[in-house]
Amino acid sequence: QVQLVESGGGLVHPGGSLGLSCAGSGSIGRVNGMSWYRQAPGKQRELVAVITSGSTTNYADSVKGRFTISGDTAKNTVYLQMNSLKPEDTAVYYCNAYLYMAMVGRRDYWGQGTQVTVSS
């Protein structure tokens, strides 16, 4: 069974840093990109950052300059370095891998989520 497994969440003070890791287990194979999403209580899941198979990266405006996504999509690994954390960054963070398949369209794989809490 294909799985994405996240690690690295936890509690951090405002202004602190935290790193998240995600690795695929099973046979996802080559994907078009990997992403980090987050979902805060009472809010919709939102895209935080994405890295494509061509190593292009994009970020939500709210995290630009503070978060850095990196990884190797061919190996189904992705990381998120989060600096200058704010209380509003508190959320469950989900790892995502996606690929576009002929006749099927986009297929997504998700991790189970890891809690990040920014609080003094």
Side-chain angles (χ1 to χ4, degrees), residues 23-97:
S25 64
S27 54
I28 295 179
R30 188 169 296 273
V31 297
N32 294 107
M34 297 188 73
S35 307
W36 288 97
Y37 285 74
R38 68 185 181 187
Q39 187 166 19
K43 294 189 177 182
Q44 288 190 328
R45 189 174 297 189
E46 63 173 354
L47 177 64
V48 175
V50 59
I51 182 166
T52 69
S53 57
S55 298
T56 298
T57 59
N58 279 294
Y59 299 90
D61 287 344
S62 58
V63 306
K64 280 181 182 176
R66 300 188 298 120
F67 289 12
T68 302
I69 189 171
S70 61
D72 186 341
T73 60
K75 296 181 179 178
N76 300 148
T77 57
V78 66
Y79 309 97
L80 187 68
Q81 179 63 39
M82 303 182 291
N83 299 327
S84 302
L85 282 160
K86 305 175 181 180
E88 51 263 43
D89 294 317
T90 296
V92 177
Y93 284 70
Y94 295 91
C95 176
N96 164 270

